[in-house]
Amino acid sequence: MLEINDLWVDVNGKEVLKGVNLTIPSGETHILFGKNGSGKSSLLMTIMGFRRYRVRQGRISFKGVDITKLPIHERAKMGIGLAFQRPPSIRGVKTRDVFNVCNINSVSCDELADKFNFSGLLERELNVGFSGGEMKKSELLQLLLQDPELVMLDEPESGVDLENLQILGKAINKLLEKYLWRKRAKSGLVISHLGFILNYIEADSGYVLLDGRIHCHGNPRELFKGIQRHGYRECIECQR
Amino acid sequence: MSEVRRTRAQQAKDKKSTFGTDVDLLKYQLLSDDKTDPLGLDGLTHEDRAKIIQSGIDLDDQDRAGTFFQTDHRIVHCAVKQPGLEVLPMAQALKEHAWLEELYWQAVPVDSDKYTAQAELHFQNGYFIRALKGQRVTTPIQACLYMKHDNTAQNVHNLIVAEEGSELNIITGCATAPSLQSGIHIGISEFYVKRGAKLTFTMIHDWAEEVMVRPRSGIVVEEDGLFLSNYVSLKPVRSLQMYPTTRLIGPGAVARFHSILLAPPGCELDTGARVVLEASNTRAEIISRTITTGGVIKARGHLVGLKPNVKAHLECHGLILTEEGIIHAIPELEAHRSGAEMSHEAAVGKIAEEEIEYLMARGLSEEEATATIVRGFLNVQIEGLPPELQAKVDRAIEESEKSML
């Protein structure tokens, strides 16, 4: 589904990714751990194609197609979706209008909003005056409407209160559902700080990104336990 | 009294305006004749009709409580369909209502500048609209001031009275004939909103590339009165300068100004609103959304709080869509008493790339994302504006979208 080879990326002249290699097979969900500023968000933004993230070297391919130079909206149309960590507020643009843009399968936005306790926000300007939890919910609902094949979530649980964590978990689970009787339809690349996400996703693999490089990969729960116990120090030393 | 006025006008006929490019009025021809009979709508060409409709005027008079239509210096059509409402050419109103002398030139001083002076010295009619006491005229009244002869000056004087407890909704379209290239429009507008009355005034301008426009307006709002102004100018015009002054003289009076402006290359817009909150518990709001695609915009606003317990807010937001073009926001707050709650918010700049890319990540192309943001930027939902008038404003924005992007 997604293959990244030797990816080197600059932001305003500063190196943020230093030779990242990553493969996410179809139907698998991988989790990215790492300290603040380690390059996790930069990786997701680069995969999405944001212009600030200048690819100096390497290649990103999605469904067998080299997308390294494709504009953002073409990547979105191919089936890549990103829930932003800090989405911008856009004055004058109604949340409902953005939902309609995402809604490729013509599902009922009202029903979806109702299900996730979001109805009151549809007529509001996008993210203007939204709480942290409301923004995250808006992002996840947009992805549910966009129905991408590769779901990228950038810290979906940060800044969310306990009550809303449950609702968000439900949305994430719906996005990246894993069935016993058939292969999961979507692939996922998820950034998590708190590991809460592991309760809602059957993650297949985990990585630790430090200083723009992938240091460990392995079972996500085990990795997370290690990080909880020893911090990221062990990851720096360990090169599995 | 009229002699005193004329003398004052004479003395001001060379007085430059504080703001805006100075216009040499001698360059423009002054049309005049003694005919007073209306020209009638039948004389309009197909092209005239198309242009007039664009500025929000319904030529079939359908769903209109009244219509006033003037081309250059001549009345074309003047009709009223609802009792309790008066719509008259200004000259006729001055003859019929002697009491008008007490209001005429009271909200706008005749010697403000050379433009007010010219409007007095070379008066070419205009409209008088009045809702009688307690009459709620919710169906819009339309007024159109049309310029057809090239290189002429149109000097009109309008006066609107919403008597105690009444309601008026006025939509005015000002436009020029497609063949007209140059000219000057001077429009004096005086508004009197009496106790508990509500007056909504929506103005859509559609001028030509070399036209100079100098409206001069004054508004007086009494106790619990509400004045709502919406101004839309999205078409090219050489130079437009206006800075209407509103006085809120009675407790509980409210004034709101919303304007949506676009300055294409070669266009200079110097506009704003000034509201003086002279009584307690008065409120004012001035909101402007400006876009330049190469022209120059000065977005002014001045709120003066003279009494405690007044509330006023000023908001200037500007978008620069091309490398050329200037937006200069000049918000002023002036509080004379403690307890005056006054605020302003101004932001001028390009569309944030972050916003465009965000929408692109949802599948919109760069052009579509920009259009969505611009549409949102101009989407000022005007509180209290009748849906029909909001639809007119929305349509004007929609039509100009293509030329913007």
Side-chain angles (χ1 to χ4, degrees), chain A residues 48-52 71-73 76-77 80 82-84 86-94 98 101-102 126-127 138-139 142-143 146, chain B residues 289 315 317 345 352-369 371-381:
Chain A
M48 198 69 241
F50 282 78
R51 283 175 283 220
R52 245 159 55 83
I72 304 168
H73 69 289
K77 283 191 173 145
I80 301 179
L82 170 64
F84 288 66
R86 286 186 210 92
S89 303
I90 310 185
R91 280 209 174 269
V93 176
K94 270 192 202 166
V98 181
V101 167
C102 300
L126 186 77
N127 294 326
S138 161
E139 288 298 300
Q142 286 179 54
L143 280 200
Q146 221 180 328
Chain B
R289 295 278 187 272
E315 204 178 296
H317 284 237
E345 190 186 322
E353 177 150 307
E354 184 197 23
E355 295 177 17
I356 295 175
E357 292 196 323
Y358 178 84
L359 292 176
M360 287 176 77
R362 300 297 181 237
L364 293 182
S365 69
E366 186 165 0
E367 293 72 31
E368 288 165 338
T372 302
I373 294 165
V374 169
R375 208 178 301 130
F377 176 80
L378 293 176
N379 179 18
V380 185
Q381 289 296 322

Coordinates of all heavy atoms in Angstrom, one line a residue, chain A residues 48-52 71-73 76-77 80 82-84 86-94 98 101-102 126-127 138-139 142-143 146, chain B residues 289 315 317 345 352-369 371-381:
Chain A
M48 N 1.5 13.3 2.8 CA 0.3 14.0 2.3 C 0.8 15.0 1.2 O -0.1 15.4 0.3 CB -0.4 14.8 3.5 CG -1.8 15.2 3.2 SD -2.9 13.8 3.1 CE -3.5 14.0 1.4
G49 N 2.0 15.5 1.2 CA 2.5 16.4 0.1 C 2.6 17.8 0.4 O 2.6 18.6 -0.5
F50 N 2.6 18.2 1.7 CA 2.6 19.7 2.0 C 3.9 20.3 1.5 O 5.0 19.7 1.6 CB 2.5 19.9 3.5 CG 1.1 19.7 3.9 CD1 0.5 18.5 4.1 CD2 0.3 20.9 4.1 CE1 -0.9 18.4 4.4 CE2 -1.0 20.7 4.5 CZ -1.6 19.5 4.6
R51 N 3.8 21.5 0.9 CA 4.9 22.1 0.1 C 6.1 22.5 1.0 O 7.2 22.5 0.6 CB 4.4 23.3 -0.6 CG 3.7 22.9 -1.9 CD 3.1 24.0 -2.6 NE 1.9 24.5 -2.0 CZ 0.8 24.9 -2.6 NH1 0.8 24.9 -3.9 NH2 -0.3 25.4 -2.0
R52 N 5.8 22.8 2.3 CA 6.9 23.2 3.2 C 7.9 22.1 3.4 O 9.0 22.3 3.8 CB 6.2 23.5 4.6 CG 6.4 25.0 5.0 CD 5.3 25.3 6.0 NE 5.3 24.5 7.2 CZ 6.2 24.6 8.3 NH1 7.0 25.6 8.3 NH2 6.1 23.8 9.3
P71 N 0.7 16.7 -6.4 CA 0.1 17.7 -5.5 C -0.8 17.0 -4.5 O -1.3 15.9 -4.7 CB -0.7 18.6 -6.4 CG -0.8 17.9 -7.7 CD 0.3 16.9 -7.8
I72 N -1.0 17.8 -3.4 CA -1.8 17.2 -2.2 C -3.1 16.6 -2.6 O -3.5 15.5 -2.3 CB -2.1 18.3 -1.2 CG1 -0.7 19.0 -0.8 CG2 -2.8 17.8 0.0 CD1 -0.9 20.3 0.0
H73 N -3.9 17.4 -3.4 CA -5.3 16.9 -3.7 C -5.3 15.7 -4.5 O -6.2 14.9 -4.4 CB -6.1 18.0 -4.3 CG -5.7 18.4 -5.7 ND1 -4.6 19.1 -6.0 CD2 -6.3 18.2 -6.9 CE1 -4.5 19.3 -7.3 NE2 -5.6 18.7 -7.9
A76 N -4.9 12.9 -2.2 CA -6.1 12.7 -1.4 C -7.1 11.9 -2.3 O -7.7 11.0 -1.8 CB -6.7 14.1 -1.1
K77 N -7.1 12.3 -3.6 CA -8.0 11.5 -4.5 C -7.6 10.1 -4.7 O -8.4 9.2 -5.0 CB -8.1 12.3 -5.8 CG -9.0 13.5 -5.7 CD -9.3 14.2 -7.0 CE -10.3 15.3 -6.8 NZ -10.1 16.4 -7.6
I80 N -5.4 8.8 0.1 CA -4.7 9.1 1.3 C -5.4 10.1 2.1 O -5.8 11.2 1.6 CB -3.2 9.6 1.0 CG1 -2.5 8.6 0.2 CG2 -2.5 9.9 2.3 CD1 -1.1 9.0 -0.2
L82 N -5.6 12.4 6.0 CA -4.9 12.7 7.2 C -5.8 13.5 8.1 O -6.4 14.4 7.8 CB -3.7 13.6 6.8 CG -2.9 14.4 7.9 CD1 -2.2 13.3 8.8 CD2 -1.9 15.3 7.3
A83 N -5.8 13.0 9.4 CA -6.4 13.8 10.5 C -5.3 14.6 11.1 O -4.4 14.0 11.7 CB -7.1 12.8 11.5
F84 N -5.5 15.9 11.0 CA -4.4 16.8 11.5 C -4.3 16.9 13.0 O -5.3 16.8 13.7 CB -4.6 18.2 11.0 CG -4.4 18.4 9.5 CD1 -5.2 17.8 8.6 CD2 -3.4 19.2 9.0 CE1 -5.0 17.9 7.2 CE2 -3.2 19.4 7.7 CZ -4.0 18.7 6.8
R86 N -3.1 19.7 14.5 CA -3.6 21.0 14.8 C -4.2 21.6 13.5 O -3.5 22.3 12.8 CB -2.5 21.9 15.3 CG -2.1 21.7 16.7 CD -1.1 22.7 17.2 NE -0.3 22.1 18.2 CZ 0.9 21.5 18.0 NH1 1.4 21.5 16.7 NH2 1.6 21.0 18.9
P87 N -5.4 21.3 13.2 CA -6.0 21.8 11.9 C -6.2 23.3 12.0 O -6.4 23.9 13.1 CB -7.3 21.1 11.8 CG -7.7 20.8 13.3 CD -6.4 20.5 14.0
P88 N -6.1 24.0 10.9 CA -6.3 25.5 10.9 C -7.8 25.9 11.1 O -8.7 25.1 10.8 CB -5.8 26.0 9.6 CG -6.0 24.8 8.7 CD -5.8 23.6 9.5
S89 N -8.0 27.0 11.7 CA -9.4 27.6 11.7 C -9.6 28.3 10.4 O -8.7 29.1 10.0 CB -9.6 28.6 12.9 OG -9.2 27.9 14.1
I90 N -10.7 28.1 9.7 CA -11.0 28.9 8.5 C -12.2 29.7 8.7 O -13.3 29.2 8.7 CB -11.1 28.0 7.3 CG1 -9.9 27.0 7.2 CG2 -11.1 28.8 6.0 CD1 -9.8 26.1 6.0
R91 N -12.0 31.0 8.8 CA -13.2 31.9 9.0 C -14.1 31.9 7.8 O -13.7 31.9 6.7 CB -12.7 33.3 9.2 CG -12.2 33.5 10.6 CD -12.4 35.0 11.1 NE -12.0 35.1 12.5 CZ -12.9 34.9 13.5 NH1 -14.2 34.7 13.2 NH2 -12.5 35.0 14.7
G92 N -15.4 31.9 8.1 CA -16.4 32.0 7.0 C -16.7 30.7 6.3 O -17.7 30.6 5.7
V93 N -15.8 29.7 6.5 CA -16.1 28.4 5.8 C -16.8 27.5 6.8 O -16.2 27.2 7.9 CB -14.8 27.8 5.3 CG1 -15.1 26.4 4.7 CG2 -14.2 28.7 4.2
K94 N -18.0 27.1 6.5 CA -18.8 26.3 7.4 C -18.2 24.9 7.5 O -17.9 24.3 6.5 CB -20.2 26.2 6.9 CG -21.1 27.3 7.5 CD -22.5 26.9 7.2 CE -23.4 28.2 7.2 NZ -24.7 27.9 6.6
V98 N -17.1 21.9 4.5 CA -15.9 21.0 4.4 C -16.3 19.5 4.4 O -15.8 18.7 3.7 CB -14.9 21.4 5.5 CG1 -13.6 20.6 5.4 CG2 -14.6 22.9 5.4
V101 N -17.3 18.5 1.1 CA -16.2 18.3 0.2 C -15.7 16.9 0.4 O -15.3 16.2 -0.6 CB -15.1 19.3 0.5 CG1 -13.8 18.9 -0.2 CG2 -15.5 20.7 0.0
C102 N -15.6 16.4 1.6 CA -15.0 15.1 1.9 C -15.9 14.0 1.5 O -15.5 12.9 1.3 CB -14.8 15.0 3.4 SG -13.6 16.2 4.1
L126 N -15.3 26.5 10.4 CA -14.5 25.4 10.7 C -13.4 25.7 11.8 O -12.6 26.6 11.6 CB -13.8 25.0 9.4 CG -12.9 23.7 9.6 CD1 -13.8 22.5 9.6 CD2 -11.9 23.6 8.5
N127 N -13.5 25.0 12.8 CA -12.5 25.1 13.9 C -12.5 26.4 14.7 O -11.7 26.6 15.6 CB -11.1 24.7 13.5 CG -11.0 23.3 13.0 OD1 -11.7 22.4 13.6 ND2 -10.2 23.0 12.0
S138 N -13.9 16.5 14.6 CA -14.1 17.1 13.3 C -13.2 16.4 12.3 O -13.6 15.9 11.2 CB -14.0 18.6 13.3 OG -13.8 19.1 12.0
E139 N -11.9 16.3 12.7 CA -11.0 15.6 11.8 C -11.3 14.2 11.5 O -11.3 13.7 10.3 CB -9.6 15.6 12.4 CG -8.9 17.0 12.5 CD -8.7 17.6 11.1 OE1 -7.9 17.0 10.4 OE2 -9.3 18.6 10.8
Q142 N -14.4 13.9 9.3 CA -14.0 14.2 7.9 C -13.4 13.0 7.2 O -13.7 12.7 6.0 CB -13.1 15.4 7.8 CG -13.8 16.7 8.1 CD -12.8 17.9 8.1 OE1 -12.1 18.0 7.1 NE2 -12.7 18.6 9.1
L143 N -12.5 12.3 8.0 CA -11.9 11.1 7.4 C -12.9 10.0 7.1 O -12.8 9.3 6.1 CB -10.8 10.6 8.3 CG -9.4 11.3 8.2 CD1 -8.3 10.4 8.8 CD2 -9.1 11.7 6.8
Q146 N -14.4 10.9 4.0 CA -13.4 10.8 2.9 C -13.1 9.4 2.5 O -12.8 9.1 1.4 CB -12.1 11.5 3.3 CG -11.5 12.4 2.3 CD -10.2 13.0 2.8 OE1 -10.1 13.3 4.0 NE2 -9.3 13.2 2.0
Chain B
R289 N -15.2 43.6 4.9 CA -14.4 42.5 4.2 C -14.0 43.1 2.9 O -14.8 43.5 2.1 CB -15.3 41.3 3.9 CG -15.9 40.6 5.2 CD -14.8 39.7 5.8 NE -15.4 38.9 6.9 CZ -15.4 39.4 8.1 NH1 -15.0 40.5 8.5 NH2 -16.0 38.6 9.1
E315 N -14.5 45.9 12.9 CA -13.8 44.7 12.3 C -13.4 45.0 10.9 O -14.3 45.2 10.0 CB -14.7 43.5 12.4 CG -14.1 42.2 12.5 CD -15.1 41.1 12.6 OE1 -15.8 41.1 13.7 OE2 -15.3 40.3 11.7
H317 N -11.3 43.2 7.9 CA -10.5 42.1 7.4 C -10.2 42.3 5.9 O -11.2 42.5 5.1 CB -11.3 40.8 7.6 CG -11.3 40.3 9.0 ND1 -10.8 39.1 9.5 CD2 -11.7 41.0 10.2 CE1 -10.9 39.0 10.8 NE2 -11.4 40.1 11.2
E345 N -10.9 44.8 15.6 CA -10.1 43.6 15.2 C -9.8 43.9 13.7 O -10.7 44.2 12.9 CB -11.1 42.4 15.3 CG -10.5 41.1 15.1 CD -11.6 40.0 15.0 OE1 -12.6 40.1 15.8 OE2 -11.5 39.1 14.2
A352 N -3.8 32.2 4.0 CA -2.8 31.4 4.6 C -2.6 30.1 3.8 O -3.6 29.5 3.5 CB -3.2 31.1 6.0
E353 N -1.4 29.8 3.4 CA -1.1 28.6 2.6 C -1.6 27.4 3.4 O -2.1 26.4 2.8 CB 0.4 28.5 2.3 CG 0.7 27.2 1.6 CD 1.9 27.4 0.7 OE1 1.9 28.3 -0.1 OE2 2.8 26.5 0.8
E354 N -1.5 27.4 4.7 CA -1.9 26.3 5.6 C -3.4 26.0 5.3 O -3.8 24.8 5.3 CB -1.7 26.8 7.0 CG -2.0 25.7 8.0 CD -2.1 26.3 9.4 OE1 -2.5 27.6 9.6 OE2 -2.0 25.6 10.4
E355 N -4.2 27.1 5.1 CA -5.7 26.8 4.9 C -5.9 26.2 3.6 O -6.8 25.3 3.4 CB -6.4 28.1 5.1 CG -6.4 28.7 6.5 CD -7.1 30.1 6.6 OE1 -7.9 30.4 5.7 OE2 -6.8 30.8 7.6
I356 N -5.2 26.7 2.5 CA -5.4 26.1 1.2 C -5.0 24.7 1.2 O -5.7 23.8 0.7 CB -4.5 26.9 0.2 CG1 -5.0 28.4 0.1 CG2 -4.6 26.3 -1.2 CD1 -4.2 29.3 -0.8
E357 N -3.8 24.4 1.8 CA -3.3 23.0 1.8 C -4.2 22.1 2.6 O -4.4 20.9 2.2 CB -1.9 23.0 2.3 CG -0.9 23.6 1.3 CD 0.5 23.3 1.5 OE1 0.9 23.2 2.7 OE2 1.2 23.1 0.5
Y358 N -4.8 22.6 3.6 CA -5.7 21.8 4.4 C -6.9 21.3 3.6 O -7.2 20.1 3.6 CB -6.2 22.6 5.6 CG -7.2 21.9 6.5 CD1 -6.8 21.1 7.5 CD2 -8.6 22.0 6.3 CE1 -7.7 20.4 8.3 CE2 -9.5 21.4 7.1 CZ -9.0 20.5 8.1 OH -9.9 19.9 8.9
L359 N -7.5 22.3 2.8 CA -8.6 21.9 2.0 C -8.2 21.0 0.8 O -9.0 20.2 0.4 CB -9.3 23.1 1.5 CG -10.1 24.0 2.5 CD1 -10.7 25.2 2.0 CD2 -11.2 23.1 3.2
M360 N -6.9 21.2 0.4 CA -6.4 20.3 -0.7 C -6.3 18.9 -0.2 O -6.6 17.9 -0.9 CB -5.1 20.8 -1.2 CG -5.2 22.1 -2.0 SD -3.5 22.7 -2.5 CE -3.1 21.5 -3.8
A361 N -6.0 18.7 1.1 CA -5.9 17.4 1.7 C -7.2 16.7 1.8 O -7.4 15.5 2.0 CB -5.2 17.5 3.1
R362 N -8.3 17.5 1.6 CA -9.7 17.0 1.6 C -10.1 16.7 0.1 O -11.3 16.4 -0.1 CB -10.6 17.9 2.3 CG -10.3 18.1 3.7 CD -10.4 16.9 4.5 NE -10.1 17.1 6.0 CZ -9.1 16.4 6.6 NH1 -8.4 15.6 6.0 NH2 -8.9 16.7 7.9
G363 N -9.2 17.0 -0.8 CA -9.5 16.7 -2.2 C -9.8 17.8 -3.2 O -10.1 17.6 -4.3
L364 N -9.7 19.1 -2.7 CA -10.0 20.2 -3.5 C -8.7 20.6 -4.2 O -7.6 20.6 -3.6 CB -10.5 21.4 -2.7 CG -11.9 21.3 -2.1 CD1 -12.2 22.6 -1.4 CD2 -12.9 21.0 -3.2
S365 N -8.8 21.1 -5.5 CA -7.6 21.6 -6.2 C -7.2 22.9 -5.5 O -8.0 23.5 -4.8 CB -7.8 21.8 -7.7 OG -8.7 22.9 -7.8
E366 N -6.0 23.4 -5.9 CA -5.6 24.7 -5.3 C -6.6 25.8 -5.6 O -7.0 26.6 -4.7 CB -4.2 25.1 -5.8 CG -3.7 26.3 -5.0 CD -2.2 26.4 -5.2 OE1 -1.5 25.6 -5.9 OE2 -1.6 27.4 -4.7
E367 N -7.1 25.9 -6.8 CA -8.0 26.9 -7.2 C -9.4 26.8 -6.5 O -9.9 27.7 -6.0 CB -8.3 26.9 -8.7 CG -7.2 27.2 -9.6 CD -6.1 26.1 -9.7 OE1 -6.4 25.0 -9.5 OE2 -4.9 26.5 -9.8
E368 N -9.8 25.5 -6.4 CA -11.1 25.3 -5.7 C -11.0 25.7 -4.2 O -11.9 26.2 -3.6 CB -11.5 23.8 -5.8 CG -12.0 23.4 -7.2 CD -12.0 21.9 -7.3 OE1 -11.3 21.1 -6.6 OE2 -12.7 21.5 -8.2
A369 N -9.8 25.3 -3.6 CA -9.6 25.6 -2.2 C -9.6 27.1 -2.0 O -10.2 27.7 -1.0 CB -8.3 25.0 -1.7
A371 N -11.0 29.4 -3.9 CA -12.3 30.0 -4.1 C -13.2 29.7 -2.8 O -14.0 30.6 -2.4 CB -13.0 29.3 -5.3
T372 N -13.0 28.5 -2.2 CA -13.8 28.2 -1.0 C -13.5 29.2 0.1 O -14.4 29.7 0.8 CB -13.5 26.8 -0.6 OG1 -13.8 25.9 -1.7 CG2 -14.4 26.4 0.6
I373 N -12.2 29.5 0.2 CA -11.8 30.4 1.3 C -12.3 31.8 1.1 O -12.8 32.5 2.0 CB -10.3 30.3 1.5 CG1 -9.9 28.9 2.0 CG2 -9.8 31.4 2.5 CD1 -8.4 28.6 1.9
V374 N -12.2 32.2 -0.2 CA -12.6 33.6 -0.6 C -14.1 33.7 -0.3 O -14.6 34.7 0.2 CB -12.2 34.0 -2.0 CG1 -12.9 35.2 -2.5 CG2 -10.7 34.1 -2.1
R375 N -14.8 32.7 -0.8 CA -16.3 32.8 -0.6 C -16.6 32.8 0.9 O -17.5 33.6 1.3 CB -16.9 31.5 -1.2 CG -18.3 31.7 -1.7 CD -18.8 30.4 -2.4 NE -18.0 30.0 -3.5 CZ -17.5 28.8 -3.7 NH1 -17.7 27.8 -2.8 NH2 -16.8 28.5 -4.7
G376 N -15.9 32.1 1.7 CA -16.2 32.1 3.1 C -15.8 33.4 3.7 O -16.5 34.0 4.5
F377 N -14.7 34.0 3.2 CA -14.3 35.3 3.7 C -15.4 36.4 3.5 O -15.6 37.3 4.3 CB -13.0 35.7 3.0 CG -12.5 37.0 3.3 CD1 -11.7 37.3 4.4 CD2 -12.7 38.1 2.4 CE1 -11.2 38.5 4.7 CE2 -12.2 39.4 2.7 CZ -11.4 39.6 3.9
L378 N -16.0 36.3 2.3 CA -17.0 37.3 2.0 C -18.4 37.0 2.5 O -19.3 37.8 2.5 CB -17.1 37.5 0.4 CG -15.9 38.0 -0.3 CD1 -16.1 38.0 -1.8 CD2 -15.6 39.4 0.2
N379 N -18.5 35.8 3.1 CA -19.8 35.3 3.5 C -20.1 35.9 4.9 O -20.0 35.3 5.9 CB -19.8 33.8 3.6 CG -21.1 33.2 4.1 OD1 -22.1 33.9 4.1 ND2 -21.0 32.0 4.6
V380 N -20.6 37.2 4.8 CA -21.0 37.9 6.0 C -22.5 37.7 6.2 O -23.2 38.3 5.4 CB -20.6 39.4 6.0 CG1 -20.9 40.0 7.3 CG2 -19.1 39.5 5.6
Q381 N -22.9 36.9 7.1 CA -24.3 36.8 7.3 C -24.8 38.0 8.1 O -24.3 38.2 9.2 CB -24.6 35.5 8.1 CG -24.4 34.2 7.2 CD -25.4 34.1 6.0 OE1 -26.5 34.5 6.1 NE2 -24.9 33.7 4.9

